[in-house]
Amino acid sequence: YMIAGLMAGAYTVTPVLSGYEFSPNNAQVTVGGSEGNATGVDFVAGSVYTLTVPAGLSLVGVPCTPLSDNSPGAVFGAVPIARWDPSRQQYLTSEPGAVPAAQEFLAVTPGKGYFLYTSEARELRIPGEPVDTTAPFMGVELSPGWNMVANPFAEELPFANFLAQTTNIRPYGFVYDSQTNSYRVVVADDAIGMDRTSLLPGEGVWVYAVETGQLIIGPPTGLSAQAAQQQKKSKQAGWMIPIVAQVGDCADLSSLAGVTGTEASWQVYNPPAVAGHVDVYFTGEGTHRLAQDLRAGSSEKLSWDFVVSTDICDAEVVVSLPDLSRVPADLVIILEDRDASRTMYARTMSSYTFRSNSDGPTMRHFRLSVAPRQDRGLVISTASVHPAGTAVRLTYSVSRPCSVSVTVRNIAGRLIKRLSTDRVVPEGTN
């Protein structure tokens, strides 16, 4: 550009173009007299990407290269941010007093994922150079374990495009649902435990890397042959039991136990929790905590040990199995609170409630058991209580020999007295 015919003196030059911001915003220029003409007064223009975040926690990325300063404060403003460091197995933040972090690790670039927290819904304006949507994106290094990455494109992206170019990651990811404060499972195809098959523009996602490598993401304009083939997979047969834990507005809605109906199992690792969480994970075999444990089809008795954990103190924790419709009717489902020695028949249980610790994190151990119904079902009948002087007499009848536990509880469910535990009784009146 050229601005001619100026009188000698100092000027402020400001570039303006709708939908763009510039670096620098303006320039101070002196012309005329001994200064002569001024040349090389240049600006870099970046189109503005608008990131709308709801109140609370969001897992996001930026589908553009920031215009100038790419520090979290310059890009996101005065918003608390956190990013998981696989090498340290902890979150790094830019807040004062946080673990010192390499500037490069937290620097905002396309393909990286960040947790943002805002007290109210906010619209962030981020100027930068958009990512090319016609070529594969290669911009993020993966470390072994969980990595916070993001859709680097300003378009919806099939999760299959992550798998098409990168063989280093597990075939699933987790996005964050700010409405339910819970993770959701995203996979490439219509699998038994999936919630979604694509990522929104700039949406963050957890992926698990088997080893160090580079994340290569296919563009949103098309799928590779491998990704397309993965999407054609039919839904697996079998059944599953969702396990939900909720504390106030926080919930874990992504945990599943069940069978695949095939010779292959489906195990999904559990992602790192965030502050103010409730989490359900299976302990199972091996070193990994599992969010989903779907096993090869079996007619034998199956059981899953799982933990409900929360860092929310002195609160009501509600555990439920909200949908048992896919479990065959000839299977008996039992839920056991192993820490409280309570056993419940799941098909008649609406929910189970306990209170979290008042002075620290809570870990409650449960067991879910599924077994074929016996030919001769157990029936409890004629249960009654009668005064007997200063005591009471409890009478009940069972249809076959069994073990019986009897407890007395108050109206709030708190244990008053344990009368018997796993006492074997004969058929008939006891």
Side-chain angles (χ1 to χ4, degrees):
Y1 64 94
M2 178 181 291
I3 305 174
L6 299 178
M7 296 179 63
Y11 293 87
T12 299
V13 182
T14 304
V16 177
L17 180 62
S18 177
Y20 286 81
E21 291 187 9
F22 293 83
S23 178
N25 295 326
N26 55 60
Q28 305 300 315
V29 182
T30 301
V31 297
S34 60
E35 299 292 336
N37 295 327
T39 59
V41 184
D42 295 334
F43 305 90
V44 177
S47 58
V48 177
Y49 171 70
T50 301
L51 176 62
T52 302
V53 294
L57 200 63
S58 301
L59 179 53
V60 301
V62 176
C64 63
T65 300
L67 189 57
S68 52
D69 186 354
N70 67 348
S71 65
V75 176
F76 299 123
V79 175
I81 68 104
R83 189 160 188 261
W84 180 261
D85 184 350
S87 63
R88 290 186 173 94
Q89 289 291 294
Q90 66 182 114
Y91 289 99
L92 299 185
T93 74
S94 56
E95 296 178 353
V99 175
Q103 184 176 358
E104 182 180 356
F105 184 78
L106 289 179
V108 182
T109 57
K112 290 183 179 180
Y114 300 83
F115 270 123
L116 306 184
Y117 182 84
T118 55
S119 57
E120 58 185 7
R122 186 177 301 186
E123 185 177 90
L124 305 177
R125 290 171 53 84
I126 304 171
E129 180 183 355
V131 175
D132 183 4
T133 60
T134 64
F137 175 81
M138 297 178 288
V140 177
E141 294 295 328
L142 298 174
S143 298
W146 286 106
N147 294 257
M148 291 175 65
V149 300
N151 176 4
F153 304 104
E155 299 181 18
E156 187 169 346
L157 180 73
F159 188 72
N161 291 31
F162 275 75
L163 308 179
Q165 304 284 344
T166 305
T167 59
N168 183 33
I169 62 176
R170 301 283 291 179
Y172 51 78
F174 285 89
V175 296
Y176 190 78
D177 184 345
S178 59
Q179 292 184 341
T180 60
N181 296 312
S182 176
Y183 289 124
R184 294 293 193 178
V185 180
V186 57
V187 297
D189 60 343
D190 195 16
I192 191 171
M194 71 93 188
D195 291 304
R196 285 164 49 186
T197 58
S198 64
L199 302 176
L200 301 177
E203 185 175 32
V205 58
W206 286 100
V207 297
Y208 190 93
V210 179
E211 58 188 4
T212 301
Q214 188 178 45
L215 179 64
I216 305 174
I217 305 173
T221 52
L223 294 175
S224 72
Q226 177 185 352
Q229 185 176 8
Q230 287 175 328
Q231 284 199 326
K232 290 179 181 178
K233 291 180 180 178
S234 60
K235 179 178 290 189
Q236 295 174 321
W239 51 263
M240 59 184 178
I241 300 175
I243 302 174
V244 173
Q246 185 165 357
V247 180
D249 294 334
C250 296
D252 186 334
L253 306 176
S254 60
S255 299
L256 294 174
V259 299
T260 63
T262 68
E263 296 182 355
S265 60
W266 172 253
Q267 293 186 328
V268 175
Y269 297 164
N270 199 57
V274 295
H277 74 278
V278 60
D279 190 20
V280 177
Y281 61 85
F282 300 97
T283 52
E285 299 179 357
T287 59
H288 292 285
R289 296 177 175 181
L290 301 178
Q292 297 184 4
D293 187 4
L294 304 176
R295 303 173 185 174
S298 173
S299 59
E300 302 297 325
K301 178 179 179 179
L302 297 172
S303 64
W304 291 263
D305 290 335
F306 67 92
V307 172
V308 176
S309 70
T310 181
D311 60 353
I312 303 173
C313 296
D314 196 23
E316 191 176 74
V317 183
V318 181
V319 181
S320 62
L321 311 178
D323 184 7
L324 302 177
S325 61
R326 296 187 62 179
V327 184
D330 61 347
L331 295 180
V332 178
I333 309 168
I334 302 294
L335 179 65
E336 177 186 357
D337 181 345
R338 304 187 70 188
D339 293 333
S341 299
R342 291 196 63 183
T343 302
M344 294 143 284
Y345 184 57
R347 292 192 187 272
T348 58
M349 178 196 77
S350 58
S351 63
Y352 176 73
T353 303
F354 66 90
R355 196 151 195 91
S356 63
N357 298 334
S358 59
D359 56 354
T362 298
M363 293 179 61
R364 198 69 166 245
H365 297 82
F366 290 83
R367 174 170 292 170
L368 178 68
S369 301
V370 180
R373 189 183 303 276
Q374 296 184 2
D375 293 339
R376 189 183 177 196
L378 173 63
V379 177
I380 304 174
S381 59
T382 63
S384 60
V385 177
H386 303 283
T390 58
V392 295
R393 180 183 299 277
L394 170 64
T395 302
Y396 60 94
S397 179
V398 290
S399 61
R400 60 181 175 83
C402 61
S403 62
V404 173
S405 299
V406 183
T407 60
V408 180
R409 298 178 182 271
N410 66 11
I411 195 170
R414 297 186 182 279
L415 179 66
I416 302 300
K417 188 174 181 66
R418 191 179 305 279
L419 302 182
S420 68
T421 301
D422 291 334
R423 177 187 175 191
V424 178
V425 299
E427 177 182 344
T429 301
N430 292 270

